[in-house]
Coordinates of all heavy atoms in Angstrom, one line a residue:
M1 N 130.4 93.1 131.4 CA 129.1 93.7 130.9 C 129.0 93.5 129.4 O 129.9 94.0 128.7 CB 129.1 95.2 131.3 CG 127.7 95.7 131.4 SD 127.7 97.4 132.0 CE 127.2 98.3 130.6
S2 N 128.1 92.8 129.0 CA 127.9 92.5 127.6 C 126.9 93.5 127.0 O 125.9 93.8 127.6 CB 127.5 91.1 127.3 OG 126.2 90.8 127.9
K3 N 127.2 93.9 125.8 CA 126.3 94.8 125.2 C 125.7 94.2 123.9 O 126.5 93.7 123.1 CB 127.1 96.1 124.8 CG 126.2 97.3 124.7 CD 127.1 98.5 124.5 CE 126.3 99.8 124.5 NZ 127.1 101.0 124.2
I4 N 124.4 94.1 123.9 CA 123.8 93.6 122.7 C 123.8 94.6 121.6 O 123.4 95.7 121.8 CB 122.3 93.1 123.0 CG1 122.4 92.0 124.1 CG2 121.6 92.6 121.8 CD1 121.1 91.9 124.8
P5 N 124.3 94.2 120.4 CA 124.2 95.2 119.3 C 122.8 95.7 119.1 O 121.9 94.9 118.9 CB 124.8 94.4 118.1 CG 125.5 93.2 118.7 CD 124.8 92.9 120.0
Y6 N 122.7 96.9 119.0 CA 121.4 97.5 118.9 C 121.1 97.9 117.4 O 121.9 98.6 116.8 CB 121.3 98.8 119.8 CG 119.9 99.2 120.0 CD1 119.1 98.7 121.0 CD2 119.4 100.3 119.2 CE1 117.8 99.1 121.2 CE2 118.1 100.8 119.4 CZ 117.3 100.2 120.4 OH 116.0 100.6 120.6
P7 N 120.1 97.4 116.8 CA 119.8 97.7 115.4 C 119.4 99.2 115.3 O 118.6 99.7 116.0 CB 118.7 96.8 115.0 CG 118.0 96.4 116.3 CD 119.1 96.5 117.4
T8 N 120.1 99.9 114.4 CA 119.8 101.3 114.3 C 118.8 101.6 113.1 O 118.7 102.7 112.7 CB 121.1 102.1 114.0 OG1 121.8 101.5 112.9 CG2 122.0 102.0 115.2
T9 N 118.1 100.5 112.7 CA 117.2 100.7 111.7 C 116.1 101.7 112.0 O 115.5 101.6 113.1 CB 116.6 99.3 111.3 OG1 117.6 98.4 111.0 CG2 115.6 99.5 110.1
K10 N 115.8 102.5 111.2 CA 114.7 103.5 111.4 C 113.7 103.4 110.2 O 114.1 103.1 109.1 CB 115.2 104.9 111.5 CG 115.9 105.2 112.8 CD 116.2 106.7 113.0 CE 117.1 107.2 111.9 NZ 117.6 108.5 112.1
F11 N 112.5 103.8 110.5 CA 111.6 104.0 109.4 C 111.7 105.5 108.9 O 111.8 106.4 109.7 CB 110.2 103.7 109.8 CG 109.9 102.3 110.1 CD1 109.7 101.7 111.3 CD2 109.7 101.4 109.0 CE1 109.5 100.4 111.5 CE2 109.5 100.0 109.2 CZ 109.3 99.6 110.5
L12 N 111.6 105.6 107.6 CA 111.6 107.0 107.1 C 110.4 107.1 106.2 O 110.0 106.1 105.5 CB 112.8 107.2 106.3 CG 114.2 107.3 107.0 CD1 115.3 107.3 106.0 CD2 114.2 108.4 107.9
K13 N 109.8 108.2 106.2 CA 108.7 108.5 105.2 C 109.3 109.3 104.1 O 109.9 110.3 104.3 CB 107.6 109.3 105.9 CG 106.3 109.3 105.1 CD 105.2 110.0 105.9 CE 103.9 109.8 105.4 NZ 102.9 110.6 106.1
V14 N 109.3 108.7 102.9 CA 109.9 109.2 101.7 C 108.9 109.6 100.7 O 108.0 108.8 100.4 CB 111.0 108.2 101.2 CG1 111.6 108.8 99.9 CG2 112.0 108.0 102.2
K15 N 109.1 110.7 100.1 CA 108.1 111.1 99.0 C 108.8 110.9 97.7 O 109.9 111.3 97.4 CB 107.8 112.6 99.2 CG 106.7 113.1 98.2 CD 106.0 114.3 98.7 CE 106.5 115.5 98.1 NZ 105.7 116.7 98.5
C16 N 108.1 110.1 96.8 CA 108.6 109.8 95.5 C 108.8 111.1 94.7 O 107.9 112.0 94.7 CB 107.6 108.9 94.8 SG 108.1 108.6 93.1
T17 N 109.9 111.2 94.1 CA 110.2 112.5 93.3 C 109.4 112.5 92.0 O 109.3 113.6 91.4 CB 111.7 112.6 93.0 OG1 112.2 111.4 92.4 CG2 112.5 112.8 94.3
S18 N 109.0 111.4 91.6 CA 108.2 111.5 90.3 C 106.7 111.6 90.4 O 106.1 112.2 89.6 CB 108.5 110.3 89.4 OG 109.1 109.4 89.6
C19 N 106.1 110.9 91.4 CA 104.6 111.0 91.5 C 104.1 111.5 92.9 O 102.9 111.5 93.1 CB 104.1 109.6 91.2 SG 104.3 108.4 92.6
N20 N 105.1 111.9 93.8 CA 104.7 112.5 95.1 C 104.0 111.5 96.0 O 103.4 111.9 97.0 CB 103.8 113.7 94.9 CG 104.6 114.9 94.3 OD1 105.9 114.9 94.4 ND2 104.0 115.8 93.7
N21 N 104.0 110.2 95.7 CA 103.5 109.2 96.6 C 104.4 109.1 97.8 O 105.6 109.2 97.7 CB 103.6 107.8 95.9 CG 103.2 106.7 96.8 OD1 102.3 106.7 97.5 ND2 104.1 105.6 96.8
E22 N 103.7 109.1 99.0 CA 104.5 109.0 100.2 C 104.5 107.5 100.7 O 103.5 106.9 100.8 CB 103.8 109.9 101.3 CG 104.0 111.3 101.0 CD 103.3 112.3 101.9 OE1 102.8 111.8 103.0 OE2 103.2 113.5 101.6
Q23 N 105.7 107.1 101.0 CA 105.9 105.7 101.4 C 106.8 105.5 102.5 O 107.8 106.3 102.6 CB 106.4 105.0 100.1 CG 106.2 103.5 100.1 CD 106.5 102.9 98.7 OE1 106.0 103.5 97.7 NE2 107.2 101.9 98.6
I24 N 106.6 104.5 103.4 CA 107.5 104.2 104.5 C 108.6 103.3 104.0 O 108.3 102.2 103.4 CB 106.7 103.6 105.7 CG1 105.6 104.5 106.1 CG2 107.6 103.3 106.8 CD1 106.0 105.8 106.7
V25 N 109.8 103.6 104.3 CA 110.9 102.7 103.9 C 111.9 102.6 105.1 O 111.9 103.4 106.0 CB 111.7 103.3 102.7 CG1 110.8 103.4 101.5 CG2 112.4 104.6 103.0
F26 N 112.7 101.5 105.1 CA 113.7 101.4 106.1 C 114.9 102.2 105.7 O 115.3 102.2 104.5 CB 114.2 99.9 106.1 CG 113.3 99.0 106.9 CD1 112.6 97.9 106.2 CD2 113.0 99.2 108.2 CE1 111.8 97.1 106.9 CE2 112.2 98.3 108.9 CZ 111.6 97.3 108.2
D27 N 115.6 102.8 106.6 CA 116.8 103.6 106.2 C 118.0 102.7 106.0 O 119.1 103.1 105.6 CB 117.1 104.7 107.3 CG 117.7 104.1 108.5 OD1 117.6 102.9 108.8 OD2 118.3 104.9 109.3
S28 N 117.9 101.4 106.4 CA 119.0 100.5 106.1 C 118.5 99.3 105.2 O 119.0 98.2 105.3 CB 119.5 99.9 107.4 OG 118.4 99.2 108.1
A29 N 117.6 99.6 104.3 CA 117.1 98.7 103.4 C 118.3 98.1 102.5 O 119.1 98.9 102.1 CB 116.1 99.3 102.5
K30 N 118.3 96.8 102.4 CA 119.4 96.2 101.6 C 119.0 95.9 100.2 O 119.8 95.3 99.4 CB 119.9 94.9 102.3 CG 120.4 95.2 103.7 CD 121.6 94.4 104.0 CE 122.3 94.9 105.3 NZ 121.5 95.4 106.3
I31 N 117.9 96.3 99.9 CA 117.4 96.1 98.5 C 116.9 97.5 98.0 O 116.7 98.4 98.8 CB 116.2 95.1 98.4 CG1 115.1 95.5 99.3 CG2 116.7 93.7 98.6 CD1 113.8 94.9 99.0
V32 N 116.8 97.6 96.7 CA 116.2 98.8 96.1 C 114.7 98.8 96.4 O 114.0 97.8 96.2 CB 116.5 98.8 94.6 CG1 115.7 100.0 94.0 CG2 117.9 98.9 94.3
V33 N 114.3 99.8 97.1 CA 112.9 100.0 97.4 C 112.2 100.8 96.3 O 112.7 101.9 96.0 CB 112.6 100.6 98.8 CG1 111.2 100.8 99.0 CG2 113.3 99.8 99.9
K34 N 111.2 100.3 95.7 CA 110.6 101.0 94.6 C 109.2 101.6 95.0 O 108.6 101.1 95.9 CB 110.4 100.1 93.4 CG 111.7 99.7 92.7 CD 111.4 98.8 91.5 CE 112.7 98.4 90.8 NZ 113.4 99.5 90.2
C35 N 108.9 102.7 94.4 CA 107.6 103.4 94.7 C 106.5 102.4 94.3 O 106.5 101.7 93.3 CB 107.5 104.6 93.8 SG 105.9 105.4 93.9
N36 N 105.5 102.3 95.2 CA 104.4 101.4 94.9 C 103.5 101.9 93.8 O 102.7 101.1 93.2 CB 103.5 101.3 96.2 CG 104.1 100.5 97.3 OD1 104.9 99.6 97.0 ND2 103.8 100.8 98.5
V37 N 103.6 103.1 93.5 CA 102.7 103.7 92.4 C 103.4 103.7 91.1 O 102.8 103.2 90.1 CB 102.3 105.1 92.8 CG1 101.5 105.8 91.7 CG2 101.5 105.1 94.1
C38 N 104.6 104.2 91.0 CA 105.2 104.4 89.6 C 106.5 103.6 89.5 O 107.1 103.7 88.4 CB 105.5 105.9 89.4 SG 106.8 106.5 90.4
S39 N 106.9 102.8 90.5 CA 108.1 101.9 90.4 C 109.4 102.7 90.3 O 110.4 102.1 90.0 CB 108.0 101.0 89.3 OG 106.9 100.1 89.5
E40 N 109.4 104.0 90.6 CA 110.6 104.7 90.7 C 111.4 104.2 91.9 O 110.8 103.9 92.9 CB 110.3 106.2 90.8 CG 111.5 107.2 90.8 CD 111.9 107.5 89.4 OE1 111.3 107.0 88.4 OE2 112.9 108.2 89.2
D41 N 112.7 104.2 91.8 CA 113.6 103.8 93.0 C 113.5 104.9 94.1 O 113.6 106.0 93.8 CB 115.0 103.7 92.5 CG 115.2 102.5 91.6 OD1 114.3 101.7 91.4 OD2 116.4 102.3 91.1
L42 N 113.2 104.4 95.3 CA 113.1 105.3 96.4 C 114.4 105.2 97.3 O 114.8 106.2 97.9 CB 111.9 105.0 97.3 CG 110.6 105.2 96.6 CD1 109.5 104.9 97.6 CD2 110.4 106.7 96.1
T43 N 115.0 104.1 97.3 CA 116.3 103.9 98.1 C 117.2 103.0 97.2 O 116.7 102.2 96.4 CB 116.1 103.2 99.4 OG1 115.7 101.8 99.2 CG2 115.0 103.9 100.2
Q44 N 118.5 103.2 97.5 CA 119.5 102.3 96.9 C 120.4 101.8 98.0 O 120.8 102.6 98.9 CB 120.3 103.0 95.9 CG 119.6 103.1 94.5 CD 120.4 103.9 93.5 OE1 121.5 104.5 93.9 NE2 120.0 104.0 92.3
P45 N 120.6 100.5 98.1 CA 121.5 100.0 99.1 C 122.9 100.5 99.0 O 123.4 100.6 97.8 CB 121.4 98.4 99.0 CG 120.9 98.2 97.6 CD 120.2 99.4 97.2
R46 N 123.5 100.9 100.1 CA 124.9 101.5 100.0 C 125.6 101.2 101.3 O 125.3 101.9 102.3 CB 124.7 103.0 99.8 CG 126.0 103.6 99.4 CD 125.8 105.1 99.6 NE 126.1 105.9 98.4 CZ 126.1 107.2 98.4 NH1 125.8 107.9 99.5 NH2 126.3 107.8 97.3
G47 N 126.4 100.2 101.3 CA 127.1 99.7 102.5 C 126.2 99.6 103.7 O 125.5 100.0 103.9
G48 N 125.7 99.3 104.5 CA 124.8 99.3 105.7 C 123.6 100.3 105.5 O 122.5 99.9 105.7
K49 N 123.9 101.5 105.2 CA 122.8 102.5 105.1 C 122.3 102.6 103.7 O 123.0 102.6 102.7 CB 123.2 103.8 105.6 CG 123.4 103.9 107.1 CD 122.3 104.6 107.7 CE 122.4 104.5 109.2 NZ 121.2 105.1 109.9
A50 N 121.0 102.8 103.6 CA 120.4 103.0 102.2 C 120.6 104.4 101.8 O 120.5 105.3 102.7 CB 119.0 102.6 102.2
K51 N 120.8 104.6 100.6 CA 120.8 106.0 100.0 C 119.3 106.3 99.7 O 118.7 105.6 98.9 CB 121.7 106.1 98.8 CG 121.7 107.4 98.2 CD 122.4 107.4 96.9 CE 122.4 108.8 96.3 NZ 122.7 108.8 94.9
I52 N 118.8 107.4 100.3 CA 117.5 107.8 100.0 C 117.4 108.7 98.8 O 118.1 109.7 98.8 CB 116.9 108.5 101.3 CG1 117.1 107.6 102.5 CG2 115.4 108.8 101.1 CD1 116.4 106.3 102.6
I53 N 116.6 108.3 97.9 CA 116.6 109.1 96.6 C 115.4 110.1 96.7 O 115.6 111.2 96.2 CB 116.4 108.1 95.4 CG1 117.6 107.2 95.3 CG2 116.2 108.9 94.1 CD1 117.4 106.0 94.5
G54 N 114.3 109.7 97.3 CA 113.2 110.6 97.4 C 113.4 111.6 98.4 O 114.4 111.7 99.1
E55 N 112.4 112.4 98.6 CA 112.4 113.5 99.6 C 112.0 112.9 101.0 O 110.9 112.3 101.1 CB 111.5 114.6 99.2 CG 111.5 115.8 100.1 CD 110.4 116.8 99.8 OE1 109.9 116.7 98.6 OE2 110.0 117.6 100.6
I56 N 112.8 113.1 102.0 CA 112.5 112.5 103.3 C 111.6 113.5 104.0 O 111.9 114.7 104.1 CB 113.8 112.3 104.2 CG1 114.7 111.3 103.5 CG2 113.5 111.9 105.6 CD1 116.1 111.2 104.0
L57 N 110.5 113.0 104.5 CA 109.5 113.9 105.2 C 109.6 113.9 106.7 O 110.1 112.9 107.2 CB 108.1 113.4 104.8 CG 107.8 113.4 103.3 CD1 106.5 112.8 103.0 CD2 107.8 114.8 102.7
Ligands
LIG101 ZN1 106.2 107.3 92.5

């Protein structure tokens, strides 16, 4: 029985801590995701899982 690796990527809605913009981000983003409004970092890549900086809604 072969098991296909299942991607555990999820979408998260994150609220920017500086301007309260709500934005959808991947929880396994491998790049820094920036706020579309104020360019504040919303996630930072950290081994497989992204570190979410903003508030998760
Ligand atoms: Zn912002």
Side-chain angles (χ1 to χ4, degrees):
M1 209 172 106
S2 64
K3 208 173 180 183
I4 299 162
Y6 195 82
T8 53
T9 303
K10 285 189 298 186
F11 287 108
L12 295 172
K13 197 174 191 186
V14 176
K15 186 155 102 177
C16 175
T17 52
S18 7
C19 73
N20 292 336
N21 172 48
E22 292 175 9
Q23 198 167 316
I24 303 294
V25 299
F26 283 117
D27 76 340
S28 58
K30 298 219 168 33
I31 53 159
V32 174
V33 177
K34 289 182 182 291
C35 174
N36 285 333
V37 177
C38 71
S39 296
E40 186 81 3
D41 292 354
L42 296 180
T43 71
Q44 280 178 351
R46 192 197 237 185
K49 286 258 174 184
K51 181 189 177 197
I52 308 298
I53 297 165
E55 182 187 341
I56 298 167
L57 302 173

